[in-house]
Amino acid sequence: SSELTQDPAVSVALGQTVRIVCQGDSLRTNYASWYQQRPGQAPVLVVYHENNRPPGIPDRFSGSRSGDTASLTITGPQAEDEADYYCFSRDISHDHHWVFGGGTKLTVL
Amino acid sequence: EVQVAESGGGLVQPGGSLRLSCAASGFTFNIYAMTWVRQAPGKGLEWVSTISASGVNAYYADSAKGRFTVSRDNSKNTLYLQMSGLRVDDSAVYHCAGGVVTTNSYGMDVWGQGTTVTVSS
């Protein structure tokens, strides 16, 4: 399948740990990148090549992969982490195509 | 400062055409694969098209193939998206984004704020 599947919504208490998952066949052989999008803003890359952070991204964000599932973990989320999160990877059903997951809305309680 | 800025959006009738531009600055544009991503109101992100760093290779989502053409001018640090045969469901904010592509990974670390395309009669 070319799809990347994400849970539509996840909630976490302030300071706890939350894992946002992305499932798809392409993740068995390709890495996901993860994007944070706050309301009204452009997406921001938070993790790439499975578990690398761009400069300026806090180390509470980390990535991992197991089988057909990639995960974005936020350890001790802050209020400002409330946002939509999207995974992104190759679409293995089409040569040279890419695909986003449907997005997960994270609520920090 | 790393920056990309889109322009060229607007209101167009179904079947019409638009050309979007994305001006880049503050990074080495000619080593970045560049991508157009769109987001319809209240919806998620959708990959539209990617062009290689050199501009030799271009790839399109099925929804864009045959109607959209991506190009770039590395001498001007500018990315383009020529859109024709526009449909109502092409209405969205169009972002340009870029990053380094590997065989099995693509992290887009540069994003613009987007330009709005509205297709309506």
Side-chain angles (χ1 to χ4, degrees), chain B residues 14-111:
Chain B
S17 298
L18 273 179
R19 188 195 198 202
L20 307 184
S21 298
C22 171
S25 61
F27 64 99
T28 308
F29 183 73
N30 63 11
I31 67 169
Y32 268 39
M34 295 300 295
T35 290
W36 288 98
V37 175
R38 70 184 183 184
Q39 187 169 33
K43 302 296 185 182
L45 301 176
E46 179 187 6
W47 175 75
V48 174
S49 177
T50 294
I51 187 167
S52 62
S54 66
V56 170
N57 298 303
Y59 310 106
Y60 302 91
D62 290 347
S63 58
K65 196 171 181 63
R67 300 187 300 127
F68 294 2
T69 301
V70 64
S71 61
R72 63 192 295 162
D73 185 339
N74 284 348
S75 69
K76 295 182 179 179
N77 286 358
T78 303
L79 173 73
Y80 304 99
L81 185 68
Q82 179 68 49
M83 304 186 295
S84 62
L86 283 163
R87 308 186 297 229
V88 172
D89 62 359
D90 292 319
S91 296
V93 174
Y94 284 71
H95 296 276
C96 76
V100 175
V101 179
T102 67
T103 303
N104 56 2
S105 178
Y106 183 21
M108 293 178 284
D109 60 349
V110 176
W111 286 77

